């Protein structure tokens, strides 16, 4: 699948944003996080900017952005629609929570409930994002049980890394959170490895033969494509990535996306506050980059069945 | 609406049957489709870089070609492909706007251009590559099964068929109701073992493909030399002629 | 409505679809010209533009269907390469620099060049045409001008098929005959990819398969028609003759011959003089009346034209002068029973196993003799003898350029006809049938004109420039025996060149051999690219200058094209033509009509659109030139133009012979005569009213045995298709060839020069035989191990369609296809870029591997590679950068062997047909640095003065929807 940058950024950013929202939406009302409005302000700012920014960039990918609102209509059947509905829905309780907390210093009662509600909706949104891909049968590398957990885990991981950074800014001593982060990174990494192993060791049950209904005479392969130049289908779904390129990018994703953030978070735990803050910041940036690469690969490595009609032997 | 219409028994299912045993790959159905539809319901079928490198455009029907089998026994198969008007079309259910829909009355899968936001998700959901994004209009387009021909009162009854069907020089394309087991198309499919494409995905395509046939081997004994006759052997050079010395012709 | 439903109604308004939009404001009928198949089309016009082009269901050629090209006619009309105004060259030839001029200046210029030529030496005008369908006009014009130097493209196309057929049975493959599609049970197709009967063949093949009749394709490549064949025989190129004669061998051995048919309709029993060394050895023994003789049952000699005499097929005859003579059949049997034709002997050469050959022979025999069909249809033969039924042997054959484009094509095609005749399948139910106006006498005559004395300054030529020679005395030679024609047709180089030799035109004109010409006038032929052999060299000749004068070796070139083709850039004066939808045309019985096996037919084109440019139909321009040059047939007594309205007038009013004109339908003042009749001023209106075609349906008793069917022969005579109701006798043994051979052996007054003798003595064999193609016999096969051929892509017509926005998307780059195993042997992988080298030069191409191709053969789609800048395409187009032309590797002159000076043309020795498919090549992988683009690539041609580049985004048809019932647009 062709990795459209707008989508790569959208999923990465909104994932992180909603992940953070999930954490503070739960953490503050339950008293696990400091009610300090300054902390609240920065945290919520990160959360809103990233999730809203992500949504905006996804709209860029549309052929008719001005009609984007129409996407809310088919929540009954379409995961994309559901994602749209939930993402927007998240902002209402989130807004109440933000206002209540930042202006009136309230973190419990209605405000607290709204926080929790926002957290649930945020999680739901990320789940929908994962399901958009996981529900697409024509793409073996997406239509599998590893996709949704990957999305959730990565969102949580980026959320936590962001949280650490914000906490670091506000002098609070966030060891507990740091531990959680290290755990989340570990889980996300394992899930990603599991996903990679899955797509490396399995392929779609479809073949050129099943795609054409041919094969009675023997092996089936393409002789001539219908058109000699690339058409929409190939531009959109015919993306191919060289093996060694793939291996290199995965390595980078591992280091930048998981190893480095983990290491930096460790530093943040032990280092002096100032240094800790820098480490946490670097962790966020590094993880962000890592997830972008991971997301790019998520598309680049996905093989659409339509390519069977255009010379691909396996998908 | 995006939810698939409930399927009643005996539901009308309009679609195409394509005989791969007859198609010679002339591209007539592809260009006739382009020609009709670029001025039809989904007009225009835009073309890009039309007169330079990397020319591409919106086509609802394309002719692929494959080779089946090996060595001297291999057979070239020309393979036209357009929307299969599936019964379980994920292209419809994934659509966030309801622009993509399947008609209850005849099973035709269409895109309502005025609702489409051009998210392309339906093209990802179609394993058959039957969705065509018009980057100029910013909306998705696709085979309409010539909905503006098959019911068109301005056309003579015999012309109320898809453009790709009426033009086919080898008569390798058939249009009809595959929901009706007694329709000509259904009988053809039954008789020839018509196939679904990628049945494993469960989209249950309406269009069917009739596989190429293998000619039944004719068992003719090799020619024996003509029986040696009194005057001459049949098979020994010059004398062979002798067997014709008494042969008379009349003008 | 439930809340949910209302909710959905709001969010997802149902689309209202107009299922009955108005299709068109107006429907006009005409004839397609996206290729030469001449299908009838129905053009739907809306808001002044073309909405839809579909097949005309009533048309005899296509019966409503249309092909990939035909359905893309809309885009041809949109082409940015359309010429817009007459052009005069300003830069150097081949640069594409022109200035636009007015029509009057264009015509004045042409007259200024042509008039003096006609007054001094008409030969100095060479007028050659390509893909046009108005050869009866162009040929007539040339005759009136007085030059013998006229021909169409037949010489590089398929004259081998035409000549072999017309000389053997008065009809031919090509589009002049076809299998009895409804009745044949076994159909063998030799070397056909598409052919001129594009749609009819497609429809018929599917009919065959639906009926369960067997279809065998003999072709090195398995694509297109061959893809759907029940059996594919991947023969080695150039060896069909041997394969077919091996089939004949098998049939003769088994006595599977239709003697009754041979006796009645062929010269099988005619006596051939056996007097080696004498001047008439191998000629027919004739009586004083000149009638051929046969040996009757009693051993006496009788005229072969007598009926109801019992005659012998084998036996020794003693002629009056005491010399020996034997029947044709005896010579034939002796030759083909020879073990050299045994399946085991030919298998290796043909690349077909002996078992396979025996199997096919057996199948042919069993279908021909065990499945004989009989139609309860009485008929009367030429001698007035009634027959209760029509019997037929349902085996049929069609063949085209896979046979003819070889230097042994004429004899191979003869071999095919021999096979057909031996089993009695010509114009019988289930066999191969003539299409009207055929059959004609074998050969049809008339003889070519242009002999000394027939070419006179200021006067028309003493006859038509093209025709059929019967012996050396008919050759068109100067007194000293040198060729009269610039292309050397009808000279010892190509004695039976019935269609001329267009492929040698530019070379000879450049070389001044046999003489220099002054003006080269071409029409609809892309001679500066895909229709020339050795293209790069041809371009050099077109631009080569005489060091003394500084003048081009070919001083002037006038050319008519409708689009910016490569040849436009190499011409001096351009006469821009209209598109096929903008003019009158006629597809005439005098040229290449649409007649069918069931009767004569012809058709027209009518202007559907008016040109938006300053262009004129070429035929109009030619007729105006004729009038202003004062060519007799084009002016009235008072010197004024005879056809003031141009071609439209000519079509209706011109008479070739009394009562015979371009169109056979609606003749006579009131338009109710068919074939012959006075000109009818309303003729075109009548054609338009009847869908732009006319057809005469033959009655059932005239549908078969046309060559000997009294009723048919009389009809044909009455309609002017033949001169007299005489039977057409099939020539198994071709006497005219023997006459040439005798001359080559030194007999007679007119003998070939030394250099031509051996070639003629060997190849002018009166009985078909096989010999290896010339090129392969001259090069070192180990150095050039592979055959290289081209195929017609079904969706492209020669060079026409790279300018077509839809068709070029389908095929914008051609690949070199080769056998997977062969490639592996050469260490090549799919998509590799390779050097393809012939004895002459090398090109670079990208390969594609397949299984369905003969292991010794590589092939590609024809004419896809283009010259950068031509066709008004952007310079980065795949047609220039990656597509390639095989022509660069093919030479019009043979590679010389052991230092001989004049190796002679790369052509069939009998007809001069260009031997495109004799090409042999070697393939090597390119260095990595060289990969990714084709070679050679030429300098980009300049854009034409008012040639705007085509739009990047085409939204054709959007406007047709403006009036549609819009679904409510919700923002
Ligand atoms: N390698 C290889 N070369 C081949 C062949 C092959 O099989 N292999 N085939 C050979 C054969 S059989 C043939 S017939 C030739 C064909 O070759 P050509 O006879 O040269 O045919 P085209 O290449 O189509 O060129 C015809 C020209 O007519 C122009 N034209 C199109 N429509 C019109 C019109 O309406 N009016 C006018 N005035 N011009 C028009 C086109 O623009 C084009 O420039 O190619 C030969 N060349
Ligand atoms: N679509 C389309 N139709 C056309 C044309 C076009 O350009 N495009 N051109 C028109 C013209 S001008 C012509 S002359 C006709 C030509 O009509 P065809 O004769 O069908 O044209 P070719 O492509 O030359 O076909 C030659 C076939 O013979 C095979 N072949 C080559 N060598 C041999 C051999 O030695 N033995 C055998 N058995 N087969 C061999 C080739 O693989 C190829 O399939 O087509 C006409 N129709
Ligand atoms: S073929 Fe593709 S576009 Fe057509 S209905 Fe099926 S899934 Fe949808
Ligand atoms: S592109 Fe249009 S039709 Fe396709 S899913 Fe998106 S909105 Fe629906
Ligand atoms: S049914 Fe109509 S729209 Fe669909 S492929 Fe055929 S011609 Fe095109
Ligand atoms: S028109 Fe018929 S023969 Fe031609 S490509 Fe289409 S299906 Fe095949
Ligand atoms: S075969 Fe195709 S291009 Fe040729 S005349 Fe017929 S419809 Fe036109
Ligand atoms: Mo040709």
């Amino acid at each position: 699948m062709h990795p459209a940058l707008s989508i790569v950024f959208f999923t990465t950013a909104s994932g992180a944003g909603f992940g953070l929202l999930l954490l503070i939406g739960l953490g503050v009302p339950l008293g696990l996080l400091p009610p300090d409005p300054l902390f609240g302000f920065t945290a919520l700012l990160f959360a809103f900017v990233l999730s809203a920014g992500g949504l905006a960039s996804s709209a860029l990918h549309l052929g008719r952005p001005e009609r984007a609102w129409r996407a809310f209509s088919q929540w009954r059947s379409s995961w994309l629609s559901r994602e749209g509905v939930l993402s927007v829905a998240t902002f209402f309780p989130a807004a109440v929570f933000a206002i209540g907390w930042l202006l009136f210093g309230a973190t419990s009662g209605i405000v607290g409930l709204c926080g929790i509600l926002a957290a649930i909706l945020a999680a739901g949104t990320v789940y929908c994002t994962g399901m958009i891909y996981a529900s697409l049968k024509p793409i073996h590398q997406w239509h599998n049980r590893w996709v949704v957990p990957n999305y959730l885990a990565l969102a949580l991981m980026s959320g936590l890394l962001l949280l650490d950074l914000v906490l670091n800014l506000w002098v609070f001593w966030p060891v507990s959170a740091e531990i959680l982060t290290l755990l989340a990174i570990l889980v996300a990494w394992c899930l990603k490895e599991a996903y990679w192993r899955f797509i490396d060791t399995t392929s779609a049950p479809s073949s050129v033969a099943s795609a054409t209904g041919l094969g009675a005479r023997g092996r089936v392969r393409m002789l001539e494509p219908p058109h000699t130049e690339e058409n929409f289908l190939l531009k959109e779904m015919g993306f191919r990535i060289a093996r060694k390129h793939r291996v290199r990018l995965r390595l980078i994703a591992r280091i930048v996306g998981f190893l480095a953030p983990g290491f930096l978070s460790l530093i943040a735990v032990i280092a002096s506050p100032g240094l800790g803050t820098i480490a946490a910041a670097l962790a966020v940036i590094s993880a962000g980059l890592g997830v972008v690469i991971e997301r790019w690969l998520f598309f680049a490595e996905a093989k659409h069945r339509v390519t069977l009609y255009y010379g691909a032997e396996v998908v | 609406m995006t939810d698939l219409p409930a399927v009643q028994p005996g539901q009308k299912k309009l679609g195409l049957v394509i005989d791969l045993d007859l198609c010679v790959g002339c591209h007539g159905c592809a260009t006739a489709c382009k020609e009709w539809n670029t001025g039809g319901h989904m007009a225009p079928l835009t073309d890009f870089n039309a007169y330079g490198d990397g020319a591409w455009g919106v086509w609802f029907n394309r002719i692929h070609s494959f080779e089946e089998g090996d060595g001297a026994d291999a057979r070239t198969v020309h393979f036209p492909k357009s929307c299969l008007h599936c019964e379980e079309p994920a292209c419809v259910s994934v659509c966030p706007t309801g622009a993509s829909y399947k008609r209850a009355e005849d099973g035709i899968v269409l895109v309502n251009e005025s609702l489409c936001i051009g998210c392309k998700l339906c093209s990802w959901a179609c394993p058959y590559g039957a969705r065509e994004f018009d980057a100029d209009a910013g909306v998705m387009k696709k085979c309409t099964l010539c909905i503006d021909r098959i019911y068109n009162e301005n056309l003579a009854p015999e012309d109320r068929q898809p453009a790709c069907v009426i033009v086919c020089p080898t008569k390798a394309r058939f249009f009809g109701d595959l929901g009706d087991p007694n329709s000509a198309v259904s009988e053809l499919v039954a008789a020839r073992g018509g196939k679904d494409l990628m049945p494993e995905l469960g989209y249950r395509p309406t269009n069917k493909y009739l596989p190429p046939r293998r000619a039944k081997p004719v068992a003719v004994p090799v020619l024996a030399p003509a029986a040696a006759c009194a005057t001459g052997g049949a098979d020994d050079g010059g004398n062979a002629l002798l067997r014709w010395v008494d042969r008379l012709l009349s003008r | 409505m439930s809340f949910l439903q209302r909710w959905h109604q709001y969010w997802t308004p149902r689309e209202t679809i107009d299922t009955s939009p108005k299709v068109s404001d107006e429907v006009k009928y005409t004839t397609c010209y996206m290729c030469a198949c001449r299908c009838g089309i129905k053009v739907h016009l809306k808001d002044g533009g073309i909405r839809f082009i579909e097949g005309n269901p009533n048309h005899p050629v296509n019966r409503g269907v249309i092909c990939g090209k035909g359905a893309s006619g809309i885009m041809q009309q949109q082409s940015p390469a359309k010429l817009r105004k007459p052009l005069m060259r300003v830069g150097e030839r081949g640069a594409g620099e022109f200035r636009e001029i007015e029509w009057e200046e264009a015509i004045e210029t042409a007259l200024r060049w042509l008039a003096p030529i006609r007054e001094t030496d008409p030969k100095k005008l060479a007028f050659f045409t390509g893909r046009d369908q108005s050869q009866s006009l162009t040929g007539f014009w040339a005759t009136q001008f007085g030059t013998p130097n006229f021909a169409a493209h037949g010489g590089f196309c398929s004259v081998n098929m035409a000549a072999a057929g017309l000389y053997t049975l008065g009809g031919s493959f090509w589009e002049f005959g076809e299998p009895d599609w409804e009745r044949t049970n076994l159909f063998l197709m030799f070397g056909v990819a598409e052919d001129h009967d594009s749609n009819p063949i497609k429809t018929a093949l599917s009919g065959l398969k639906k009926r369960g009749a067997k279809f065998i394709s003999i072709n090195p490549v398995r694509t297109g028609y061959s893809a759907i064949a029940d059996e594919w025989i991947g023969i080695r190129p150039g060896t069909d003759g041997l394969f077919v004669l091996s089939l004949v061998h098998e049939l003769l051995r088994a006595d599977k011959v239709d003697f009754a048919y041979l006796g009645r309709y062929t010269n099988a029993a005619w006596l051939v003089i056996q007097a080696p060394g004498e001047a008439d050895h191998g000629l027919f023994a004739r009586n004083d009346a000149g009638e051929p003789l046969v040996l009757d049952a009693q051993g006496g000699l009788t005229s072969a034209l007598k009926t109801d005499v019992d005659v012998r097929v084998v036996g020794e005859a003693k002629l009056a002068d005491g010399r020996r003579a034997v029947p044709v059949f005896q010579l034939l049997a002796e030759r083909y029973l020879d073990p050299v034709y045994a399946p085991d002997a030919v298998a290796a050469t043909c690349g077909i196993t002996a078992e396979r050959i025996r199997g096919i022979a057996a199948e042919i025999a069993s279908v021909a003799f065990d499945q004989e069909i009989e139609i309860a249809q009485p008929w009367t033969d030429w001698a007035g003898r009634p027959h209760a039924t029509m019997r037929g042997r349902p085996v049929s054959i069609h063949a085209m350029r896979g046979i003819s484009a070889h230097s042994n094509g004429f004899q191979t095609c003869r071999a095919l006809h021999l096979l057909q005749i031996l089993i009695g399948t010509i114009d019988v139910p289930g066999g191969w049938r003539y299409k009207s106006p055929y059959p004609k006498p074998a050969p049809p005559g008339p003889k070519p004109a242009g002999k000394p004395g027939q070419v006179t300054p200021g006067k028309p030529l003493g006859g038509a420039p093209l025709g059929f020679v019967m012996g050396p005395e008919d050759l068109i030679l100067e007194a000293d025996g040198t060729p009269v024609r610039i292309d050397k047709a009808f000279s010892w180089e190509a004695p039976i060149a019935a269609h001329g030799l267009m492929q040698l035109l530019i070379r000879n004109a450049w070389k001044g051999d046999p003489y220099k010409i002054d003006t080269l006038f071409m029409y609809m032929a892309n001679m500066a690219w895909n229709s020339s052999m050795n293209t790069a060299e041809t371009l050099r000749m077109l631009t080569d200058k005489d060091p003394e004068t500084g003048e081009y070796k070919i001083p002037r070139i006038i050319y008519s094209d409708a689009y910016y083709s490569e040849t436009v850039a190499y011409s001096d004066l351009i006469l821009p033509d209209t598109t096929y939808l903008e003019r009158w045309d006629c597809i005439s019985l005098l040229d290449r009509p649409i007649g069918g096996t069931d009767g004569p037919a012809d058709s027209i084109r009518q202007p559907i659109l008016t040109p938006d440019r300053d262009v004129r139909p070429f035929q109009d321009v030619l007729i105006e030139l004729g009038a202003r040059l004062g060519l007799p047939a084009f002016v009235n007594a008072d010197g004024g133009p005879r056809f003031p309205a141009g071609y439209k007038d000519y079509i209706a009013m011109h008479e070739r012979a009394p009562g015979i004109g371009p169109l056979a339908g609606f003749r006579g003042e009131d338009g109710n005569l068919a074939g012959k009749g006075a000109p009818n001023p309303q003729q075109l209106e009548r054609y338009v009213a009847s869908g732009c075609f006319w057809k005469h349906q033959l009655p059932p008793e005239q549908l078969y045995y046309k060559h000997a069917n009294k009723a048919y022969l009389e009809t044909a005579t009455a309609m002017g298709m033949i001169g007299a109701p005489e039977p057409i006798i099939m020539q198994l043994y071709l006497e005219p060839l023997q006459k040439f051979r005798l001359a080559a052996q030194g007999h007679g007054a007119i003998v070939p020069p030394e250099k031509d003798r051996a070639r003629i003595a060997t190849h002018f064999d009166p009985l078909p035989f096989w010999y290896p193609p010339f090129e392969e016999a001259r090069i070192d096969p180990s150095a050039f191990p592979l055959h290289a051929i081209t195929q017609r892509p079904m969706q492209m017509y020669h060079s026409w369609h790279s300018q077509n926005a839809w068709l070029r998307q389908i095929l914008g780059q051609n690949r070199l296809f080769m056998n997977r195993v062969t490639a592996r042997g050469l260490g090549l992988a799919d998509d590799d870029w390779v050097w393809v080298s012939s004895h002459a030069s090398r090109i670079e191409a990208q390969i594609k591997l397949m299984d369905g191709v003969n292991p010794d053969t590589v092939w590609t789609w024809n004419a896809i590679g283009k010259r950068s800048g031509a066709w008004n395409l952007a310079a980065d187009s795949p047609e220039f950068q990656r597509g390639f032309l095989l022509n660069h590797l093919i030479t019009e002159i043979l590679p010389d062997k052991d230092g001989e000076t004049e190796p002679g043309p790369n052509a069939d020795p009998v007809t001069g047909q260009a031997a495109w498919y004799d090409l042999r090549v070697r393939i090597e992988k390119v260095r990595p640095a060289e990969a990714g683009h084709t070679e050679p690539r030429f300098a980009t041609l300049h854009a034409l003065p008012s040639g705007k580049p085509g739009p990047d985004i085409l939204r054709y048809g959007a406007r047709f929807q403006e009036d549609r019932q819009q679904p409510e647009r919700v923002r």
Side-chain angles (χ1 to χ4, degrees), chain A residues 62-102:
Chain A
L62 299 178
R64 290 299 200 91
E66 81 278 9
R67 296 181 185 165
W69 63 271
R70 296 205 149 277
F72 303 135
S73 71
Q74 304 305 309
W75 51 272
R76 300 203 323 177
S77 54
S78 162
W79 285 103
L80 177 53
S81 188
R82 289 169 190 161
E83 180 200 46
V85 172
L86 287 194
S87 59
V88 171
T90 312
F91 289 109
F92 295 103
V96 178
F97 174 62
I99 294 164
W101 181 15
L102 303 184

Side-chain angles (χ1 to χ4, degrees), chain B residues 31 35-36 38-39 41 47 49-52 59 67 71 76 101 136 153 169-170 226 235 244-245 249 251, chain C residues 15 20 53 68 203 206 222 253 255 305 308 311-313 385 808-809 851-852 874 952 954-956 961 964:
Chain B
T31 56
E35 182 195 29
W36 174 262
T38 200
H41 174 61
D47 296 292
N49 313 337
Y51 301 103
W59 294 70
E67 263 194 316
T76 301
Y101 66 104
D136 182 47
E153 275 114 32
T170 64
D235 208 20
W244 288 308
V245 287
L249 305 184
R251 181 161 189 261
Chain C
E15 183 178 28
S20 287
I53 299 177
T203 309
S206 104
R222 183 165 204 179
R253 269 183 68 230
D255 213 349
L305 304 186
D308 303 315
V311 303
R312 301 187 175 279
V313 285
R385 292 167 299 188
R808 70 184 294 266
Q809 287 181 52
D851 285 32
D952 285 344
L954 267 183
R955 303 179 183 87
Y956 192 86
Q961 284 305 305
R964 99 179 128 176

